[in-house]
Every structure is written in C-alpha cells, then in structure tokens.
Amino acid sequence: MGGPHPPLPPTIEGQTYCLRWNNHKSNLVEILDALIKVESYVDCTIVVDDQVQFKAHRVVLAANSPYFQAILQDVPMDHCSIIFPGVKEFEMRALLDYMYTGEVNVTQSQIPTIMRIAEELEVKGLFDMADLKEKFNKLSEEHADRASHGYPYTAASTSALTAPYAMAASSSSAQGLPSGVHNGKEHHGADLPIPSLHNSSSVISTSSNISPSAAASSTSSPPYTNYKSPYSNLYSKSPGPAGNGSGVGQTKSANAPQTPTHSQSQPSNQEHGQWPLSPSAAVSMLGSVYDSVPDNPLKRKKISSMTSMLMNRDTPILRNVLAQANPADSSQPMSFSLPGASKSDKSNADKNSPHTGPMGAHNNSQGQHFNGADYGNDKKYHDEPHSPYTDRSFDDDAYDAKGNFGSGFSSNANQKPEWKRYKQYTRSDIMSAIQCVREGMSALQASRKFGVPSRTLYDKVKKLGITTGRPMNRTMKRSPSNVDSSAAFSYPHGYGAEPLMSSLHEGRNDDREPKDHHRADHHHIPPQLPHSLLDHALLQQALESRGGDIAGRGALLLAAAAHAAANRISTSPGPNGSSVMRSPSPPNYGRKYGRGSEQDYAMEPERGRDRERERERGRDRDVDCSRVNERRILEQELEHEREMATESDREQDYERELRDERECDRKRLRNFEREHERERGRERKRVHRRHSHDDEETTGHVEDLSVTRRQFTSPEPVAVAQRRVRSPSYSPPPPATQATIPQPTAVECSSGVIKLATAAAVAVTATNALNPGDNSRCSSRSSNGLTMADNNSNEEFINESGAALDAATAMTAIKREIISTDDGRND
Amino acid sequence: MMSSDQQFFLKWNDFQTNMVTSFRHLRDEKSFTDVTLACEGQTCKAHKMVLSACSPYFKALLEENPSKHPIIILKDVSYIHLQAILEFMYAGEVNVSQEQLPAFLKTADRLKVKGLAETPSSIKREG
C-alpha cells in the first residue's frame, strides 16, 4: 500500500477538502430533461413552420449554442418567443432533444437538414463540422435511393450528433464575430469557448484559493465552463455550489481527524495549497524541485514515478475513495478527500506510524492501485507488513541510492517507488518472453526484449518447467531469504530501471563509481539490514543491466578482485579512494551470502563480479582477523578464476580473446617495466641491504607464479572440498594451515586481466604463506612484484581507456596496502 | 364662395422625410424595438410595425406569433442582406453592390419586402 504517511504539522494551512457529488452532472441533465417534458420553468417558445411551438429554457439554449446565447442575452424578457421560419418541426425537435440530453436518434435522411439547422444555430457539437457535413451530404447523395431507417449510417449519425462539444467550442471561437450592431456583442467571439484544460483532469479538488468560477470550470460541466464573458462575473459575485462546497470543506478540515500527510522535507508542500493545478503542472513543479538536487539516480527515479502517478490522476481519485468507503454505491454525495493525500505516497514516509496514517490518504493510494493496469500485481504490496525492514522495494531503492547517499539516506526512506506497483508489461509480453525462453533464448534476454521483469519471467519459466540455458534460474530459490525479496525485485524496464541502468553505466567509466557500489554492498551494514540488499540476484540484475560491455566487465572484475585482496589486507587508508571504504567493522555479514551461493557462481562473469563484491563486504576486517582468512579467500579467488577458466560461454571466449590480446601488450609493457624495475631495484639494493637478495629473483618469482597460474588445469582438491561443504550460513574460516600457495597445475587461464589479479593475489598469498618463516624476503618479493604489476596497470591505464582504470587504481591500492602492511608487520 | 365648414388641407411636406429620419433614428437608438431578427449568428433589432408595414411575410409571421418581443431567426439569410433589407424598409432606399444584387433580391423576395419583391398580385396587375 502507499507509503506510510508522515504526521502533518497542525499548523499547515491551505488544507482544503473537495466536496463533490459525483452525480451532479447527470442529475442536472436529468432534471432539465424532466423539466422540459412537463414544460416547467420554460421561458421561451420556439416557433417553427406551421405554427408548431416548442417550449424551452433559455438557459439550455444558451448553454448549447453560442448563437442562442448571443441572441438571448440581449433580449432580457420574461418570456420570449423565437420564431424560426423555414424550420420543420422534426428538425427543431431533434435539436432540442440533442440540446437537452446530448443525444438524439435521427434517420439518415433527416441528417442533412438537421445539420444545416444546427449549423445555423451553432449547436455545440454539431455545427461547423464541415467534414462531417460533407460526409453526410455525400452519403445522402450516394444512398438517397436506398435510404432506410435501418441503414447503418443511422447509428453513425447518432454518434455524430453526440460529438464532443469541444470541437464546436473551439471552432466557434475561431469563427469570431464581425462587428455587430450591438456593442456588447463584439467580445463574445473572443470569449467564446476554448475547451478548458481543466477538463483533462476531471478530479481536481476544489480548494479555497480557487475562485468559484474556476472551480466550476474544473468540474468540466460543458456549457458554462467556457462562457466566461457572460457568467464569470455572476459567479464571482455570488458563489455557486462549488464555492459553497469548498467553504464546507474548510470547516471540515478543521475538525477532520484524518489529517494529512505532509512531510516537511518534501517539496510537495509548496504546491499543496494549489493542488488543483493540472497534473502536468504539478509534475513540472516537482520535477524542478528535484532537479535542484544534484543529479542522482534515486531522485530521477522518484521523479519519474511521481510523474507517472500524477499523470495517472486523470482518473477520479475521489471516486475511488468513495468506492473504498461505500463499495456499494460510488455515487453517494459528500465524501471528503484530502487533495494532498495522494502526495503522501511520494512524500516522505514516516515509518513510525505507517498504519496510523490518514484514512483518506490510505484510500487514495489504493485508489491509485485501482487505477493501475494490474491490480493483482499490487496485492503483494498491500499484504506486506509495513515494517521498515520488510519493505523490499525500499531495499531495492536503498541499494540504488546508497552509492550517493551513503547510509544517511536509509534513515530517511521507507517509501516505495510508485512505479513498482505497476505492471509495466502486458500479458502478451510475458507470453512472448516465455515463448522466447522456450525457444532457447536466455531468460534475461527475453526479459529485456519484452520489457518483462526478469524475476517475473524466471518465475513463470520456472513454473512452466522450462529449462533455460543459463544457470540463472537457480538464483531464484537459492536461499530462503531471497524468496520474499523477489517480490520486490521487478524492474520494469521502461521505467525505474532506467536510472539504475544509467547510474551503473556511468559507473563503468568512472573509477570512483564501483567503489561507491561497493560501499553500498558493504558488509558492515547492520545485520538487520534487509536481505535483499545483499541479494545476489539483485546485484546480478543490476550488473546484467549494464549490458555486455566486455571491457567494462573485465575492468570491474579486476577491480573487484583487487579490492577484495587489498581491503582484506589493508589497515591504513589507501590513497586512491579505498580509504572511503574504511569504517569500523562489525563481523562479516555479507559473506554468508557469498558463501551460500558459491555453487551458483557457475561461470558467469557477472556472477563472478557479484561474488567479488560480496566479498568486499568483508574488506574492512582488521588485519589480525583477516590474515587468517586471507588465504582462504585467495584460494577461493583462484578457484573462482579456475572456474572461470573453464567457462565455455561464448561471450567469455570473446572476452578472453580480448584479454589475451591485452595481455600480450601488457606483457610487453611488463617486460619493459621489469627492466626499469631492475634498475630501480639496484638502486634500492644499496639503500635496503636487507632486501638485497636479488631483484631478478623476485621478479622471476612473480613471473613464475603468473605463468604457472596460467597452467592450472583443475581446482585444487582441498579448495574444492571446502567449497562444496560451504552452506549459505556463515562458515568459520578454515584453519590457517590449510592455506597454502595453490599448487600450479596445468590449465590455460582465461584472461590477462584475471592474470594480473591472480598475480597479485598469488603474490599476496605467497607473502602470507612465507611471512612466518621469512619475513624480509617475502616482503621484498611481494612489494616488488606488485609494484611491477602496478606499473603495468598504470601503463595500461594510459593506453587503454576507462576499462583499465579500475584495475590500475585497484592495483595501486593493493600494492600500497601490501607494502604498508608488510612493512608494518616486519618492522 | 367657400363654405364655413371649409376644411383646410394641412400637409407637412416633410412628413415622409421626417418619418424616415425618425424611424432611422429610432432604429439606430434601438428605441422601442420590439422584434429581433437573427441570422448568421448575428442579430439586429427592429420594429414590428415597420416590418409588418414593409413585408406581408413579417406581417403574417408577427400576427401569428403575438409576442412582446419575438425573435425571428431567419434561415438562409445573409446578415448583410438582412441589414440592407432593413435599411430599405426604414429608408426606402439602399445601396447594394452589383454582385450582391441578385442574392439580395432573392432574399428580399423570400421575405416579401414591398418594393423589392414582386408580389403575384402586382405581377398580375402589371401583366
């Protein structure tokens, strides 16, 4: 249901209530029709040929015809007779019926003459429709011989006669008036009706600061809306029913307990008093308010969702409110609704009292649901408890937002974006998507293609027992805690996914961005934080939406791996933004997800990245604690990379090729760097006699590791066993003794990027493994080797584009961290 | 010898001029207008008496509908022609462009304006 509603400060003014009788218009029409039938209150007589007289109300005539209005305005008499020579009885009868009821049944043969009379009299909706008249004329000519009452065009004519008056109104205003005899007449043309914009939104609440005439116009009752010149003065002098209504609304507002839903932090306050603006105006206002906030995806998403909501306000909200209150009869008069209530959906939520929110607002929000395309789809939100931490969609939002807001935002929001409540796809979409999956397309592609939320599609596909080529389906039921989160995880691709995607996209080229994401995924978030925040599927989804930019993926992977390595080791702030991530560290929380879904990391690179990210949640562990786990982590990394090496995905292959190419370049650069490094090392030798063993040996060692790493064939048995054993829950770190340098076996490693990361990781592992025995040596080796790698990465950074940016940064971080750590330890 | 009950013939030579002027004046001021003629979405006011005097059509129409201030909506009548006809009724003369003349005469004929429409009787008489 709608978000919780913040308490309204009692001092807020401008709270108005819309008193609206939904049957008003129909009542008026019915009464007029009844009156003319008994000829009550008639004040004019229309005389046509053969002395046939019709009684009528001048007000109705004037309402339906600017022509009559102009005539009758100047003839203020008790009872006037309108003599209409040359007009047949049936013609005038039809026109009067039309004017009183809005529709009339005529035969096809009568249409041309009736239309002519209507044109003469400027009957709204009928006159000045040249094309229509032509059509009828043509029809009458063509079918004059076989004109019959049963002819289909009879029906057509009827519908034509009920054409909206707006056409007539606009055309009459275009017509204008030549200078007439009467002075008062000139401005009629100018004031002739332009279809009111208010009519587009039939549910505009009357508020006290709207003039009665404007309020009357907002109710979109046809005639008087448009005739400003004769009546507006009258209205403003003596408030009509609408004015009275708003007055009552004011009174009620003082007493009404269901008070309103304002949040001071939201800009919606500003237009509260003027809510009866057209929705688009409100949207633009909100949009401008949000635009003032620096660009961020959540805001964008909110705006879009608000926009969608406001645009949907076309449908009478109040009617829905009434439907809620009195399901039996939606036409009962007098119900109060809060004009600003629906805004509470998007205004900030008060998680303290979600259920005590005003009933009106509650209903309003539900009214939105009723107006939504698929009510059933919304049910889960209705049923959802309103605990702040079970609000899945919020979690979703929070994930998206945290990159920019940090944890500060999470205290702010329990609202749910409105776009999530709407199914943005049709049944045919999902069916087509399922069909595509059945035919072998991956579920994700299908979901993208048809704009169906992938989770939904997975669900459906799963239910149908279709096996997709990708292992993604398994993410669905991987862990119990994911199940409920799946409810909230639907990305209507058209809508809210856009900001997310764009933000992620930006992140690809921005080396800071991945870190922000990492921050969002940080495992130091409080344990009670919703699971879906850590959900792999969510992360995966987010990553999948980035599209298949391989370079970006590679860079991200490398960055993630590097970060993982660096952050587990580091104690001191790194220079390149890694310090941002540093924070006091509660025990690892995110890890359990990383472990739990380990076997689901089938070889998808995205998933690999996911895991890297998950792992990064554990990055801020203290060195002393993390040391124990480092080997295990590194093992897993290696193992993971081994898995990746056996990945047979074509995409991966392509990636691999690319990376291999890059690796060649990198090798060259590395050799070059190595030369430099040797020279530097010789200098260093003089300074640091301790580390003077041999630089050649160090570099050679790293090189060996790197090379041998490439030759792994099968996962190390120990590591495999560990992995299999692991369960979704947190498993204690393996004993330190188990962690050894992975034994090189024989396999072709996948990519150069990975190799780089691997080199670093192996070096670190080597450091760790050898540290107890030979501190100085290890320190020297690792630092040197990693320096090398770093330099390589820097070269890559220069040569390649933003793809390697992450890698470079990460490597730098690794290097510095390792150096500092090792130095700190050794010294 | 003239008889004592000799009557004098008093004639205001400017009577017709005055009447024409006065009617025009009254019409211009819309004084005592008691009928509204409407066509093409525009109206002009006139006096029933003048209309009845100048047109058997209006005379019959107004006799049939004894109303204090009837509104006569004329179908298929050009407002310009209506103005010209009224001018002709009130002044006895009007200027009409040549291209408008046939339509004007047709309209006048429809409205049976004396002096413009050829009544069957007059035709018969002339014939």
Side-chain angles (χ1 to χ4, degrees):
Chain A
M1 188 148 326
H5 312 295
L8 179 73
T11 55
I12 288 210
E13 295 178 2
Q15 189 67 51
T16 59
Y17 290 88
C18 172
L19 308 178
R20 181 169 165 175
W21 180 28
N22 287 329
N23 272 6
H24 175 76
K25 278 183 278 183
S26 56
N27 173 65
L28 204 58
V29 169
E30 286 164 13
I31 283 182
L32 281 174
D33 198 32
L35 286 178
I36 195 62
K37 283 198 172 86
V38 297
E39 294 189 353
S40 298
Y41 309 115
V42 291
D43 51 7
C44 77
T45 303
I46 295 173
V47 185
V48 295
D49 281 358
D50 303 325
Q51 290 302 301
V52 180
Q53 297 190 347
F54 295 96
K55 304 282 193 212
H57 300 94
R58 275 187 281 183
V59 67
V60 174
L61 298 181
N64 282 284
S65 158
Y67 186 86
F68 275 122
Q69 186 199 340
I71 292 169
L72 296 169
Q73 184 192 5
D74 291 337
V75 189
M77 269 157 298
D78 295 341
H79 190 102
C80 73
S81 60
I82 298 169
I83 302 166
F84 211 152
V87 174
K88 302 287 183 294
E89 180 188 348
F90 74 90
E91 295 164 350
M92 186 50 70
R93 192 182 299 280
L95 283 177
L96 284 175
D97 281 351
Y98 174 81
M99 283 193 264
Y100 272 88
T101 63
E103 61 185 32
V104 69
N105 294 316
V106 295
T107 63
Q108 193 239 341
S109 60
Q110 295 172 336
I111 291 171
T113 56
I114 288 175
M115 290 301 287
R116 241 174 92 232
I117 305 298
E119 194 179 352
E120 182 92 12
L121 293 178
E122 299 180 7
V123 177
K124 289 180 183 176
L126 295 181
F127 88 102
D128 203 31
M129 300 173 72
D131 49 344
L132 201 62
K133 200 180 70 178
E134 275 175 29
K135 195 174 109 189
F136 284 129
N137 289 338
K138 210 164 73 179
L139 286 175
S140 60
E141 288 167 14
E142 285 174 0
H143 308 292
D145 51 345
R146 53 175 176 140
S148 70
H149 293 269
Y151 195 73
Y153 283 106
T154 307
S157 70
T158 303
S159 65
L161 292 184
T162 58
Y165 69 93
M167 292 177 66
S170 58
S171 52
S172 84
S173 71
Q175 184 176 341
L177 288 176
S179 60
V181 182
H182 306 285
N183 289 332
K185 221 183 286 174
E186 269 89 358
H187 60 266
H188 284 319
D191 289 331
L192 273 182
I194 295 162
S196 169
L197 287 177
H198 290 283
N199 291 339
S200 64
S201 59
S202 56
V203 173
I204 294 181
S205 311
T206 305
S207 84
S208 59
N209 54 0
I210 296 287
S211 77
S213 62
S217 75
S218 73
T219 61
S220 78
S221 84
Y224 297 105
T225 332
N226 302 318
Y227 293 156
K228 275 190 184 169
S229 92
Y231 296 121
S232 58
N233 289 337
L234 192 72
Y235 280 160
S236 53
K237 277 174 205 159
S238 63
N244 288 335
S246 74
V248 176
Q250 287 287 0
T251 318
K252 287 287 180 183
S253 117
N255 303 334
Q258 61 252 53
T259 327
T261 55
H262 255 293
S263 113
Q264 288 161 323
S265 64
Q266 286 290 321
S268 51
N269 277 345
Q270 295 179 3
E271 83 268 15
H272 197 127
Q274 310 159 9
W275 181 240
L277 285 168
S278 74
S280 55
V283 170
S284 64
M285 283 171 66
L286 290 168
S288 66
V289 170
Y290 272 101
D291 282 345
S292 65
V293 179
D295 182 61
N296 90 58
L298 180 75
K299 295 278 186 193
R300 266 182 270 138
K301 196 192 287 183
K302 277 177 73 84
I303 290 169
S304 63
S305 62
M306 285 155 72
T307 307
S308 75
M309 214 183 118
L310 287 169
M311 287 313 184
N312 285 334
R313 282 179 65 88
D314 246 351
T315 358
I317 290 174
L318 197 82
R319 189 163 298 158
N320 295 317
V321 174
L322 287 168
Q324 290 283 314
N326 307 316
D329 184 8
S330 67
S331 65
Q332 285 307 307
M334 295 291 167
S335 101
F336 299 97
S337 84
L338 262 43
S342 64
K343 270 187 308 225
S344 65
D345 270 356
K346 57 194 174 293
S347 67
N348 235 341
D350 181 7
K351 62 180 80 172
N352 294 329
S353 60
H355 285 300
T356 58
M359 153 214 147
H362 224 59
N363 285 338
N364 263 358
S365 64
Q366 237 180 8
Q368 289 297 329
H369 292 305
F370 284 129
N371 294 335
D374 185 0
Y375 176 60
N377 201 32
D378 301 326
K379 270 180 181 162
K380 54 194 169 206
Y381 291 102
H382 291 273
D383 299 334
E384 239 172 28
H386 261 286
S387 155
Y389 291 114
T390 54
D391 192 339
R392 295 296 168 199
S393 62
F394 156 63
D395 302 340
D396 204 353
D397 239 3
Y399 163 70
D400 191 17
K402 275 206 173 171
N404 294 311
F405 278 107
S407 60
F409 188 80
S410 61
S411 67
N412 197 14
N414 190 23
Q415 74 264 31
K416 155 182 322 160
E418 279 73 16
W419 56 266
K420 285 184 200 283
R421 301 205 189 102
Y422 297 94
K423 201 163 83 170
Q424 307 265 343
Y425 54 90
T426 64
R427 181 170 174 78
S428 63
D429 284 340
I430 189 91
M431 293 312 285
S432 311
I434 288 172
Q435 187 57 34
C436 281
V437 172
R438 192 174 277 153
E439 286 165 5
M441 183 185 279
S442 85
L444 186 68
Q445 281 172 338
S447 70
R448 276 199 201 127
K449 184 177 172 188
F450 293 96
V452 178
S454 55
R455 294 294 290 248
T456 310
L457 184 59
Y458 293 144
D459 272 333
K460 304 254 182 203
V461 166
K462 195 83 184 166
K463 276 178 198 160
L464 292 171
I466 301 166
T467 52
T468 57
R470 298 192 159 206
M472 293 217 21
N473 276 343
R474 270 178 285 163
T475 63
M476 294 302 298
K477 42 159 96 173
R478 183 175 48 217
S479 72
S481 60
N482 285 339
V483 173
D484 50 355
S485 73
S486 71
F489 196 83
S490 62
Y491 278 100
H493 282 260
Y495 236 72
E498 198 65 34
L500 176 62
M501 283 172 71
S502 58
S503 73
L504 288 169
H505 188 79
E506 290 164 21
R508 194 182 302 151
N509 295 327
D510 181 0
D511 70 330
R512 261 181 48 237
E513 188 69 15
K515 292 184 185 91
D516 287 343
H517 281 291
H518 297 164
R519 226 167 102 218
D521 300 340
H522 205 285
H523 83 282
H524 294 319
I525 42 180
Q528 68 268 26
L529 206 103
H531 290 177
S532 69
L533 192 64
L534 309 171
D535 190 2
H536 276 284
L538 183 130
L539 291 169
Q540 186 165 350
Q541 176 81 15
L543 289 163
E544 294 267 1
S545 7
R546 293 168 168 232
D549 190 332
I550 290 163
R553 287 184 187 181
L556 267 177
L557 179 62
L558 175 58
H563 268 300
N567 284 301
R568 275 183 207 106
I569 294 163
S570 64
T571 47
S572 63
N576 280 317
S578 59
S579 63
V580 178
M581 307 175 243
R582 217 152 305 283
S583 68
S585 49
N588 190 342
Y589 178 69
R591 167 152 313 190
K592 87 178 185 184
Y593 277 93
R595 290 293 171 278
S597 51
E598 189 95 16
Q599 36 188 319
D600 284 321
Y601 286 140
M603 322 291 171
E604 294 247 341
E606 293 93 350
R607 200 161 294 164
R609 240 176 295 136
D610 281 350
R611 197 177 67 155
E612 304 290 352
R613 287 193 175 185
E614 302 282 340
R615 202 167 289 139
E616 282 193 24
R617 292 180 189 137
R619 92 194 78 167
D620 283 347
R621 199 170 310 157
D622 287 340
V623 171
D624 291 334
C625 307
S626 63
R627 278 291 187 190
V628 184
N629 291 331
E630 275 162 17
R631 285 168 203 144
R632 181 171 58 96
I633 292 156
L634 288 165
E635 269 176 15
Q636 285 162 4
E637 240 159 18
L638 293 173
E639 191 183 314
H640 171 57
E641 282 148 14
R642 257 175 262 135
E643 288 171 2
M644 291 189 68
T646 57
E647 167 63 39
S648 61
D649 198 328
R650 259 183 307 161
E651 200 174 285
Q652 188 83 10
D653 287 334
Y654 180 61
E655 223 170 307
R656 213 171 288 154
E657 288 173 14
L658 278 184
R659 282 171 183 168
D660 284 338
E661 286 178 11
R662 255 182 239 151
E663 177 61 9
C664 290
D665 295 334
R666 209 167 281 150
K667 279 285 182 191
R668 260 176 266 135
L669 283 165
R670 195 181 293 172
N671 289 329
F672 180 73
E673 279 299 322
R674 206 170 288 146
E675 297 299 322
H676 272 280
E677 190 58 38
R678 278 173 196 148
E679 291 178 9
R680 255 184 257 155
R682 285 188 201 101
E683 290 177 5
R684 218 176 282 153
K685 245 191 266 178
R686 294 176 215 121
V687 180
H688 302 286
R689 276 297 166 192
R690 271 177 69 202
H691 305 305
S692 66
H693 282 299
D694 45 354
D695 291 318
E696 286 80 8
E697 184 187 327
T698 302
T699 53
H701 181 58
V702 174
E703 177 65 14
D704 285 344
L705 278 176
S706 184
V707 169
T708 51
R709 174 71 187 82
R710 232 173 295 144
Q711 291 169 352
F712 283 11
T713 33
S714 60
E716 190 187 3
V718 176
V720 168
Q722 273 182 345
R723 183 168 61 91
R724 295 277 184 258
V725 165
R726 254 159 231 145
S727 68
S729 59
Y730 180 77
S731 58
T737 53
Q738 282 189 9
T740 55
I741 302 174
Q743 293 306 312
T745 29
V747 139
E748 197 60 29
C749 187
S750 60
S751 73
V753 178
I754 293 175
K755 273 181 250 166
L756 265 183
T758 307
V762 169
V764 171
T765 312
T767 307
N768 292 334
L770 298 175
N771 247 349
D774 191 351
N775 283 341
S776 61
R777 186 183 173 111
C778 280
S779 170
S780 164
R781 279 174 184 172
S782 61
S783 61
N784 282 334
L786 286 166
T787 303
M788 242 172 42
D790 178 39
N791 286 335
N792 285 335
S793 294
N794 281 333
E795 285 296 322
E796 292 294 323
F797 167 62
I798 294 165
N799 292 330
E800 298 180 15
S801 61
L805 205 65
D806 292 334
T809 312
M811 282 314 216
T812 308
I814 290 175
K815 181 201 76 177
R816 303 214 174 137
E817 305 292 35
I818 288 173
I819 290 171
S820 64
T821 304
D822 288 339
D823 287 350
R825 290 201 141 214
N826 297 330
D827 298 337
Chain B
M1 274 180 79
M2 305 293 279
S3 66
S4 62
D5 57 348
Q6 185 184 1
Q7 297 196 342
F8 293 89
F9 177 71
L10 305 175
K11 183 181 177 181
W12 183 21
N13 289 329
D14 291 333
F15 170 77
Q16 289 180 3
T17 314
N18 179 59
M19 283 299 280
V20 167
T21 310
S22 299
F23 280 148
R24 179 190 294 275
H25 194 63
L26 288 172
R27 184 180 163 232
D28 289 345
E29 288 182 338
K30 297 186 184 67
S31 299
F32 310 115
T33 54
D34 49 10
V35 65
T36 297
L37 296 174
C39 65
E40 286 187 340
Q42 296 170 70
T43 61
C44 50
K45 306 211 172 180
H47 300 89
K48 283 189 219 170
M49 195 175 70
V50 175
L51 293 185
S52 300
C54 295
S55 163
Y57 175 82
F58 280 116
K59 184 170 179 288
L61 201 65
L62 293 167
E63 283 172 350
E64 286 168 0
N65 302 282
S67 173
K68 202 175 162 187
H69 190 126
I71 298 164
I72 300 173
I73 297 173
L74 298 170
K75 238 179 62 173
D76 304 325
V77 172
S78 164
Y79 182 70
I80 301 167
H81 295 163
L82 180 62
Q83 292 273 63
I85 286 169
L86 284 176
E87 177 73 16
F88 180 80
M89 284 176 172
Y90 276 86
E93 58 186 30
V94 71
N95 295 319
V96 179
S97 65
Q98 190 182 347
E99 64 266 23
Q100 293 287 331
L101 193 58
F104 172 76
L105 289 176
K106 199 180 166 191
T107 304
D109 192 55
R110 267 189 59 211
L111 299 179
K112 301 190 180 83
V113 179
K114 289 181 187 171
L116 292 175
E118 291 182 354
T119 61
S121 59
S122 66
I123 291 169
K124 218 177 283 176
R125 209 180 302 152
E126 286 171 4

